[in-house]
Amino acid sequence: MKHKTMAQFKALPPGSTIGIIGNGQLGRMTALAAARLGYACHVFGPDADSPAEQVAFRATVAAYDDKDALVEFAKSVDVVTFEFENIPHESVQLLTKHVEVRPGWNCLQISQDRLIEKTFINDCGIDTAPFKAVDSLADLEAAVEELGRPSILKTTRMGYDGKGQALIRPETDLETAYDSMAGAPSVLEGFVEFQREISVIVARSACGQWTAFEPAENVHADGILDTSSVPAHIPDGLVEEAVRIAVTLAEKMDIIGLLAVEMFHTKDDRLIVNEVAPRPHNSGHWTQDACYSDQFEQFVRAVCGLPLGSVERRNDLVMKNLIGFDVEKWPDYLNEPNAKLHLYGKASTRRGRKMGHVNLVYPLGELLKSKKA
């Protein structure tokens, strides 16, 4: 596909309205970044008094399949994007009849279904963990026979933060594991021995310009991201390879916006893609206090057709998620001179809920030095 040059592409001027599907914390931080650049945001989602609604110019509270509400929403904005991709494809098709949607439906279709996603990644010549489709107990038994134990059974759609997953251990009863998927189409992933998990976030504009943030090193707890750190402790050659993989996928998907690519750094120094997300990502929150242009500003720039900003990193950083009642430590973080607190405005706290994050800022080179020590 030929792309317009920056001179040919007409950018949305400040004062335009960005429509955001989804009204959670990613929409909130996108709306704040958009406001700095002079844009208004109209957010759309099913929850009242949402994190994004609290800071947006306008909010529509409606179900993702409410056709009348979607049409009115589309008529009120100049472009539509997503902070939450799991909406019915019929809703996206309806939106595209009335307004430009970025990224396009193909990007959402790939990322919504793990089986489609992994097949697409492999078709791009990029490795994933071995996988098999599972639609019955017999399928699961055959897949485990081929891929072995341990392995991970996941629903193909809607699972995130450890939801919709079952670890297949040597002692696991397969019927119980299959029943836990509640009949949903699933995929079994073979076990990958890895040293660490990393992620790369690519911004790509309508004219094909791209920038990539350097890899972050991620640590999960109970299936939810706990920390992201930069720099990641991987060889220089793998930094370049991680960026190459992420940019390749963004270009093959024809992304306009952001693409987050999660990868495993294996024991034998290879990179294997775990999953992708065509939107801002939790593992990119470190960019808010480490880079000249963070992931949310890059997202707005890309969607609106503006030149992309610098992704140069100014300092080392550890992003710490505040999950559930961890958020009650917020006064302590305000007393730490190197801590930058980001709270999401959620009215109620519950176990496993992302309530905010804190970015712990360090001088360039300090984290790498402490790691070697």
Side-chain angles (χ1 to χ4, degrees), residues 213-285:
F213 293 98
E214 68 179 85
E217 184 171 338
N218 304 320
V219 175
H220 289 75
D222 298 324
I224 303 175
L225 183 65
D226 183 32
T227 63
S228 292
S229 304
V230 286
H233 298 101
I234 58 176
D236 290 343
L238 284 188
V239 171
E240 296 174 1
E241 176 65 4
V243 170
R244 184 197 69 80
I245 287 171
V247 171
T248 297
L249 292 174
E251 291 184 336
K252 292 289 188 181
M253 291 174 72
D254 198 21
I255 280 282
I256 301 176
L258 290 188
L259 183 70
V261 184
E262 294 182 316
M263 310 176 210
F264 296 123
H265 173 204
T266 66
K267 295 285 188 181
D268 56 352
D269 277 338
R270 294 182 300 122
L271 293 177
I272 289 179
V273 172
N274 180 31
E275 60 184 25
V276 302
R279 52 168 173 77
H281 196 261
N282 196 173
S283 68
H285 293 348

Coordinates of all heavy atoms in Angstrom, one line a residue, residues 213-285:
F213 N 9.8 3.1 20.9 CA 10.4 3.2 22.2 C 11.3 2.0 22.4 O 11.0 0.9 21.9 CB 9.3 3.3 23.3 CG 8.5 4.6 23.2 CD1 7.3 4.6 22.6 CD2 9.0 5.7 23.8 CE1 6.5 5.7 22.6 CE2 8.2 6.9 23.7 CZ 7.0 6.9 23.1
E214 N 12.4 2.2 23.1 CA 13.2 1.1 23.4 C 12.5 0.0 24.2 O 11.5 0.3 24.9 CB 14.5 1.5 24.1 CG 14.3 2.0 25.5 CD 15.6 2.5 26.2 OE1 16.0 3.6 26.0 OE2 16.1 1.7 26.9
P215 N 13.0 -1.2 24.2 CA 12.4 -2.3 25.0 C 12.3 -2.0 26.5 O 13.3 -1.5 27.1 CB 13.2 -3.5 24.7 CG 13.9 -3.2 23.4 CD 14.2 -1.7 23.4
A216 N 11.2 -2.3 27.1 CA 11.1 -2.3 28.6 C 11.1 -3.7 29.1 O 10.6 -4.6 28.4 CB 9.8 -1.6 29.0
E217 N 11.7 -3.9 30.3 CA 11.7 -5.2 30.9 C 10.6 -5.3 31.9 O 10.4 -4.5 32.8 CB 13.1 -5.5 31.6 CG 13.2 -6.8 32.2 CD 14.6 -7.1 32.7 OE1 15.6 -6.4 32.2 OE2 14.8 -8.0 33.6
N218 N 9.7 -6.4 31.7 CA 8.5 -6.5 32.5 C 8.5 -7.7 33.4 O 9.0 -8.7 33.1 CB 7.3 -6.6 31.5 CG 7.2 -5.5 30.5 OD1 7.4 -4.4 30.8 ND2 6.9 -5.9 29.3
V219 N 7.9 -7.4 34.6 CA 7.7 -8.5 35.6 C 6.3 -8.5 36.0 O 5.6 -7.5 36.3 CB 8.6 -8.2 36.9 CG1 8.3 -9.3 37.9 CG2 10.1 -8.2 36.5
H220 N 5.7 -9.8 35.9 CA 4.3 -9.9 36.2 C 4.1 -10.6 37.6 O 5.0 -11.4 38.0 CB 3.6 -10.8 35.2 CG 3.4 -10.1 33.9 ND1 4.5 -9.9 33.0 CD2 2.3 -9.5 33.3 CE1 4.0 -9.2 31.9 NE2 2.7 -9.0 32.1
A221 N 3.0 -10.4 38.2 CA 2.6 -11.0 39.5 C 1.1 -11.4 39.4 O 0.3 -10.5 39.1 CB 2.9 -10.1 40.7
D222 N 0.8 -12.7 39.6 CA -0.5 -13.2 39.5 C -1.2 -12.8 38.2 O -2.4 -12.5 38.1 CB -1.4 -12.6 40.6 CG -0.9 -13.0 42.0 OD1 -0.4 -14.2 42.1 OD2 -0.9 -12.2 43.0
G223 N -0.4 -12.9 37.1 CA -0.9 -12.6 35.8 C -1.1 -11.2 35.4 O -1.6 -10.9 34.3
I224 N -0.7 -10.2 36.3 CA -0.9 -8.8 36.0 C 0.5 -8.2 36.1 O 1.4 -8.5 36.9 CB -1.8 -8.1 37.1 CG1 -3.1 -8.8 37.1 CG2 -1.9 -6.7 36.8 CD1 -4.1 -8.3 38.2
L225 N 0.7 -7.2 35.1 CA 2.0 -6.5 35.1 C 2.3 -5.8 36.5 O 1.5 -5.1 37.0 CB 2.0 -5.5 34.0 CG 3.3 -4.7 33.8 CD1 4.5 -5.6 33.3 CD2 3.1 -3.6 32.8
D226 N 3.5 -6.1 37.0 CA 3.9 -5.5 38.3 C 4.8 -4.3 38.0 O 4.5 -3.2 38.5 CB 4.5 -6.6 39.2 CG 4.9 -6.0 40.5 OD1 4.2 -5.1 41.1 OD2 5.9 -6.5 41.1
T227 N 5.9 -4.6 37.3 CA 6.8 -3.5 37.0 C 7.3 -3.5 35.6 O 7.4 -4.6 35.0 CB 8.1 -3.6 37.9 OG1 8.8 -4.8 37.7 CG2 7.7 -3.5 39.4
S228 N 7.6 -2.4 35.1 CA 8.4 -2.2 33.8 C 9.6 -1.4 34.0 O 9.4 -0.3 34.7 CB 7.5 -1.6 32.7 OG 6.4 -2.4 32.3
S229 N 10.7 -1.8 33.6 CA 12.0 -1.1 33.8 C 12.7 -0.8 32.5 O 12.7 -1.6 31.6 CB 12.9 -1.9 34.7 OG 12.2 -2.3 35.9
V230 N 13.4 0.4 32.5 CA 14.3 0.7 31.4 C 15.6 1.3 32.0 O 15.5 2.0 33.0 CB 13.6 1.8 30.4 CG1 12.6 1.2 29.6 CG2 13.1 3.0 31.2
P231 N 16.7 0.8 31.5 CA 16.8 0.0 30.3 C 16.5 -1.5 30.6 O 16.7 -1.9 31.8 CB 18.3 0.2 29.9 CG 19.0 0.4 31.2 CD 18.0 1.2 32.0
A232 N 16.1 -2.3 29.6 CA 16.0 -3.7 29.7 C 17.4 -4.3 29.7 O 18.2 -3.9 29.0 CB 15.1 -4.3 28.6
H233 N 17.5 -5.4 30.5 CA 18.9 -6.0 30.6 C 19.0 -7.1 29.5 O 19.0 -8.3 29.8 CB 19.1 -6.5 32.0 CG 19.1 -5.5 33.0 ND1 18.0 -5.2 33.8 CD2 20.0 -4.5 33.3 CE1 18.2 -4.2 34.6 NE2 19.4 -3.7 34.3
I234 N 19.1 -6.7 28.2 CA 19.2 -7.6 27.1 C 20.4 -7.1 26.3 O 20.7 -6.0 26.3 CB 18.0 -7.7 26.3 CG1 17.6 -6.4 25.7 CG2 16.8 -8.3 27.1 CD1 16.4 -6.4 24.8
P235 N 21.0 -8.0 25.5 CA 22.2 -7.6 24.7 C 21.7 -6.6 23.6 O 20.6 -6.6 23.2 CB 22.6 -9.0 24.0 CG 22.0 -10.0 24.9 CD 20.8 -9.5 25.5
D236 N 22.7 -5.7 23.2 CA 22.4 -4.7 22.3 C 21.8 -5.2 21.0 O 20.9 -4.6 20.4 CB 23.7 -3.9 22.0 CG 24.2 -3.0 23.1 OD1 23.4 -2.8 24.1 OD2 25.3 -2.6 23.1
G237 N 22.3 -6.3 20.5 CA 21.8 -6.9 19.3 C 20.3 -7.3 19.4 O 19.5 -7.2 18.4
L238 N 19.9 -7.7 20.6 CA 18.5 -8.1 20.8 C 17.6 -6.8 20.9 O 16.4 -6.9 20.6 CB 18.3 -8.9 22.0 CG 18.7 -10.4 21.9 CD1 18.3 -11.2 23.1 CD2 18.1 -11.0 20.6
V239 N 18.2 -5.7 21.4 CA 17.4 -4.4 21.4 C 17.0 -4.1 20.0 O 15.9 -3.8 19.7 CB 18.3 -3.3 22.0 CG1 17.6 -1.9 21.8 CG2 18.5 -3.5 23.5
E240 N 18.0 -4.2 19.1 CA 17.7 -3.9 17.6 C 16.7 -4.9 17.1 O 15.8 -4.5 16.3 CB 19.0 -3.9 16.9 CG 20.0 -2.8 17.3 CD 21.3 -2.9 16.6 OE1 21.5 -3.9 15.7 OE2 22.2 -2.1 16.8
E241 N 16.9 -6.1 17.4 CA 16.0 -7.2 16.9 C 14.5 -7.0 17.4 O 13.6 -7.1 16.7 CB 16.5 -8.5 17.3 CG 15.6 -9.7 16.9 CD 15.4 -9.9 15.3 OE1 16.1 -9.1 14.6 OE2 14.7 -10.8 14.9
A242 N 14.4 -6.6 18.7 CA 13.1 -6.4 19.3 C 12.4 -5.2 18.5 O 11.2 -5.3 18.2 CB 13.2 -6.1 20.8
V243 N 13.1 -4.2 18.3 CA 12.5 -3.0 17.5 C 12.2 -3.5 16.1 O 11.1 -3.1 15.6 CB 13.5 -1.8 17.5 CG1 13.0 -0.8 16.6 CG2 13.6 -1.3 18.9
R244 N 13.0 -4.2 15.5 CA 12.7 -4.7 14.1 C 11.4 -5.5 14.1 O 10.6 -5.3 13.2 CB 13.9 -5.5 13.6 CG 13.7 -6.0 12.1 CD 14.6 -7.1 11.7 NE 14.3 -8.4 12.4 CZ 13.3 -9.2 12.0 NH1 12.5 -8.9 10.9 NH2 13.0 -10.3 12.7
I245 N 11.3 -6.4 15.0 CA 10.1 -7.2 15.1 C 8.8 -6.4 15.3 O 7.8 -6.5 14.5 CB 10.2 -8.3 16.2 CG1 11.2 -9.3 15.9 CG2 8.8 -8.9 16.6 CD1 11.6 -10.3 17.0
A246 N 8.9 -5.4 16.2 CA 7.7 -4.6 16.5 C 7.4 -3.7 15.3 O 6.2 -3.6 14.9 CB 8.0 -3.7 17.7
V247 N 8.4 -3.2 14.6 CA 8.1 -2.3 13.4 C 7.6 -3.1 12.3 O 6.6 -2.7 11.6 CB 9.4 -1.6 13.0 CG1 9.2 -0.8 11.7 CG2 9.8 -0.6 14.1
T248 N 8.1 -4.3 12.1 CA 7.6 -5.2 11.0 C 6.1 -5.5 11.2 O 5.3 -5.4 10.3 CB 8.4 -6.5 11.0 OG1 9.8 -6.3 10.7 CG2 7.8 -7.5 10.0
L249 N 5.7 -5.8 12.5 CA 4.3 -6.1 12.7 C 3.5 -4.9 12.5 O 2.3 -5.0 12.0 CB 4.2 -6.7 14.1 CG 4.8 -8.1 14.3 CD1 4.7 -8.5 15.8 CD2 4.1 -9.1 13.5
A250 N 3.9 -3.7 13.0 CA 3.2 -2.5 12.8 C 2.9 -2.2 11.3 O 1.8 -1.8 10.9 CB 3.9 -1.3 13.5
E251 N 4.0 -2.4 10.5 CA 3.8 -2.2 9.1 C 3.0 -3.2 8.4 O 2.1 -2.8 7.5 CB 5.2 -2.1 8.4 CG 6.0 -0.9 8.9 CD 7.4 -0.7 8.2 OE1 7.9 -1.8 7.7 OE2 7.9 0.4 8.1
K252 N 3.1 -4.5 8.7 CA 2.3 -5.5 8.1 C 0.8 -5.3 8.5 O -0.1 -5.6 7.7 CB 2.7 -6.9 8.6 CG 4.1 -7.3 8.1 CD 4.1 -7.6 6.6 CE 5.4 -8.2 6.2 NZ 5.5 -8.5 4.7
M253 N 0.5 -4.8 9.7 CA -0.8 -4.6 10.1 C -1.4 -3.2 9.6 O -2.6 -3.0 9.7 CB -0.9 -4.6 11.7 CG -0.7 -5.9 12.3 SD -0.6 -5.9 14.1 CE -2.4 -5.6 14.5
D254 N -0.5 -2.4 9.0 CA -0.8 -1.1 8.6 C -1.4 -0.3 9.7 O -2.4 0.4 9.5 CB -1.8 -1.2 7.4 CG -1.9 0.1 6.6 OD1 -0.9 0.9 6.7 OD2 -2.9 0.4 5.9
I255 N -0.8 -0.3 10.8 CA -1.2 0.4 12.0 C -1.1 1.9 11.8 O -0.2 2.4 11.2 CB -0.3 0.1 13.2 CG1 -0.7 -1.3 13.8 CG2 -0.3 1.1 14.3 CD1 -1.9 -1.2 14.7
I256 N -2.2 2.6 12.2 CA -2.1 4.1 12.4 C -2.5 4.3 13.8 O -3.6 4.2 14.2 CB -3.1 4.8 11.4 CG1 -2.8 4.5 10.0 CG2 -3.0 6.3 11.7 CD1 -3.8 5.1 9.0
G257 N -1.5 4.6 14.6 CA -1.6 4.8 16.0 C -0.5 4.1 16.7 O 0.7 4.3 16.4
L258 N -0.7 3.2 17.7 CA 0.3 2.5 18.5 C 0.1 1.0 18.3 O -1.0 0.5 18.2 CB 0.2 2.9 20.0 CG 0.6 4.3 20.5 CD1 0.6 4.3 22.0 CD2 1.9 4.7 19.9
L259 N 1.2 0.3 18.4 CA 1.2 -1.1 18.5 C 2.2 -1.5 19.6 O 3.4 -1.2 19.6 CB 1.6 -1.8 17.2 CG 1.6 -3.3 17.3 CD1 0.1 -3.8 17.4 CD2 2.3 -4.0 16.1
A260 N 1.7 -2.2 20.7 CA 2.5 -2.7 21.7 C 2.8 -4.2 21.4 O 1.8 -4.9 21.1 CB 1.9 -2.6 23.1
V261 N 4.0 -4.6 21.5 CA 4.4 -6.0 21.2 C 5.1 -6.6 22.4 O 6.2 -6.1 22.8 CB 5.3 -6.1 19.9 CG1 5.6 -7.5 19.6 CG2 4.6 -5.4 18.7
E262 N 4.5 -7.6 23.0 CA 5.1 -8.3 24.1 C 5.9 -9.5 23.6 O 5.5 -10.2 22.8 CB 4.1 -8.7 25.1 CG 3.3 -7.6 25.8 CD 2.3 -8.2 26.8 OE1 1.6 -9.1 26.5 OE2 2.2 -7.6 27.9
M263 N 7.1 -9.7 24.2 CA 8.0 -10.7 23.7 C 8.7 -11.4 24.9 O 8.8 -10.9 26.0 CB 9.1 -10.2 22.8 CG 8.7 -9.3 21.7 SD 10.1 -8.6 20.8 CE 9.3 -7.0 20.2
F264 N 9.1 -12.7 24.7 CA 9.9 -13.4 25.6 C 11.4 -13.4 25.1 O 11.6 -13.7 23.9 CB 9.5 -14.9 25.7 CG 8.1 -15.0 26.3 CD1 7.1 -15.7 25.5 CD2 7.8 -14.5 27.5 CE1 5.8 -15.9 26.1 CE2 6.5 -14.7 28.0 CZ 5.5 -15.4 27.3
H265 N 12.3 -13.1 26.0 CA 13.8 -13.3 25.7 C 14.1 -14.7 26.2 O 14.1 -14.9 27.5 CB 14.6 -12.2 26.4 CG 16.0 -12.4 26.4 ND1 16.9 -11.9 27.3 CD2 16.8 -13.1 25.5 CE1 18.1 -12.2 27.0 NE2 18.1 -12.9 25.9
T266 N 14.3 -15.6 25.3 CA 14.5 -17.0 25.7 C 15.9 -17.3 26.3 O 16.8 -16.5 26.2 CB 14.3 -17.9 24.5 OG1 15.3 -17.7 23.5 CG2 12.9 -17.6 23.8
K267 N 16.0 -18.5 26.9 CA 17.2 -19.0 27.5 C 18.3 -19.0 26.4 O 19.5 -18.8 26.8 CB 17.0 -20.4 28.1 CG 16.1 -20.4 29.3 CD 16.7 -19.8 30.5 CE 15.8 -20.1 31.7 NZ 16.3 -19.5 32.9
D268 N 18.0 -19.3 25.1 CA 19.0 -19.4 24.1 C 19.2 -18.1 23.3 O 19.6 -18.1 22.2 CB 18.8 -20.6 23.2 CG 17.4 -20.5 22.5 OD1 16.6 -19.7 22.9 OD2 17.2 -21.4 21.6
D269 N 18.8 -16.9 23.9 CA 18.9 -15.6 23.4 C 18.2 -15.4 22.1 O 18.7 -14.8 21.1 CB 20.4 -15.3 23.2 CG 21.1 -14.8 24.5 OD1 20.4 -14.3 25.3 OD2 22.3 -14.9 24.6
R270 N 17.0 -15.9 22.0 CA 16.1 -15.5 20.9 C 14.9 -14.7 21.4 O 14.7 -14.6 22.6 CB 15.5 -16.8 20.3 CG 16.5 -17.7 19.6 CD 15.9 -18.9 18.9 NE 15.2 -19.7 19.9 CZ 13.9 -20.1 19.8 NH1 13.2 -19.6 18.8 NH2 13.4 -20.8 20.7
L271 N 14.2 -14.1 20.5 CA 12.9 -13.3 20.9 C 11.7 -14.0 20.3 O 11.7 -14.3 19.1 CB 13.0 -11.9 20.4 CG 14.1 -11.0 21.1 CD1 14.1 -9.6 20.4 CD2 13.8 -10.9 22.6
I272 N 10.7 -14.3 21.1 CA 9.5 -14.9 20.7 C 8.3 -14.0 21.1 O 8.3 -13.5 22.2 CB 9.3 -16.3 21.4 CG1 10.3 -17.3 20.8 CG2 7.9 -16.8 21.2 CD1 10.2 -18.6 21.4
V273 N 7.5 -13.6 20.1 CA 6.4 -12.7 20.4 C 5.3 -13.5 21.2 O 4.9 -14.6 20.8 CB 5.8 -12.2 19.1 CG1 4.5 -11.4 19.4 CG2 6.8 -11.3 18.4
N274 N 4.8 -12.8 22.3 CA 3.7 -13.4 23.1 C 2.4 -12.9 22.5 O 1.5 -13.6 22.2 CB 3.9 -13.0 24.5 CG 2.8 -13.5 25.4 OD1 2.2 -14.6 25.1 ND2 2.5 -12.8 26.5
E275 N 2.2 -11.5 22.5 CA 1.0 -11.0 22.0 C 1.2 -9.5 21.6 O 2.2 -8.9 21.9 CB -0.2 -11.1 23.0 CG 0.0 -10.4 24.3 CD -1.1 -10.6 25.3 OE1 -1.8 -11.7 25.2 OE2 -1.3 -9.8 26.2
V276 N 0.2 -9.0 20.9 CA 0.2 -7.6 20.4 C -1.1 -6.9 20.9 O -2.1 -7.5 21.1 CB 0.4 -7.5 18.9 CG1 1.7 -8.2 18.5 CG2 -0.8 -8.0 18.2
A277 N -1.0 -5.5 21.0 CA -2.1 -4.7 21.3 C -2.1 -3.4 20.5 O -1.1 -2.7 20.7 CB -2.2 -4.4 22.8
P278 N -3.1 -3.1 19.7 CA -3.0 -1.9 18.9 C -3.6 -0.6 19.6 O -4.5 0.0 19.2 CB -3.9 -2.3 17.7 CG -5.0 -3.2 18.3 CD -4.3 -3.9 19.4
R279 N -2.9 -0.3 20.7 CA -3.3 0.9 21.5 C -2.2 1.2 22.5 O -1.2 0.4 22.6 CB -4.6 0.4 22.2 CG -4.5 -0.9 23.0 CD -5.6 -1.2 23.9 NE -5.5 -2.5 24.5 CZ -4.7 -2.9 25.5 NH1 -3.8 -2.0 26.0 NH2 -4.7 -4.1 25.9
P280 N -2.4 2.2 23.3 CA -1.5 2.4 24.4 C -1.5 1.2 25.4 O -2.5 0.4 25.4 CB -2.0 3.6 25.2 CG -2.8 4.3 24.2 CD -3.4 3.3 23.3
H281 N -0.4 1.0 26.1 CA -0.2 -0.3 26.8 C 0.4 0.0 28.2 O 1.2 0.9 28.4 CB 0.7 -1.2 26.0 CG 0.7 -2.6 26.5 ND1 1.6 -3.2 27.3 CD2 -0.2 -3.6 26.2 CE1 1.4 -4.5 27.5 NE2 0.3 -4.8 26.8
N282 N 0.0 -0.8 29.1 CA 0.4 -0.7 30.5 C 2.0 -0.6 30.6 O 2.6 0.1 31.4 CB -0.1 -1.8 31.4 CG -0.1 -1.6 32.9 OD1 -0.6 -2.4 33.6 ND2 0.6 -0.5 33.3
S283 N 2.6 -1.5 29.8 CA 4.1 -1.5 29.8 C 4.8 -0.3 29.2 O 6.0 -0.3 29.2 CB 4.6 -2.8 29.2 OG 4.3 -2.8 27.8
G284 N 4.0 0.6 28.7 CA 4.5 1.8 28.1 C 4.4 3.0 29.0 O 4.7 4.2 28.7
H285 N 3.8 2.8 30.2 CA 3.6 4.0 31.1 C 4.9 4.6 31.6 O 4.9 5.8 32.0 CB 2.8 3.6 32.4 CG 1.4 3.2 32.1 ND1 0.8 3.4 30.9 CD2 0.5 2.5 32.8 CE1 -0.5 3.0 30.9 NE2 -0.7 2.4 32.1

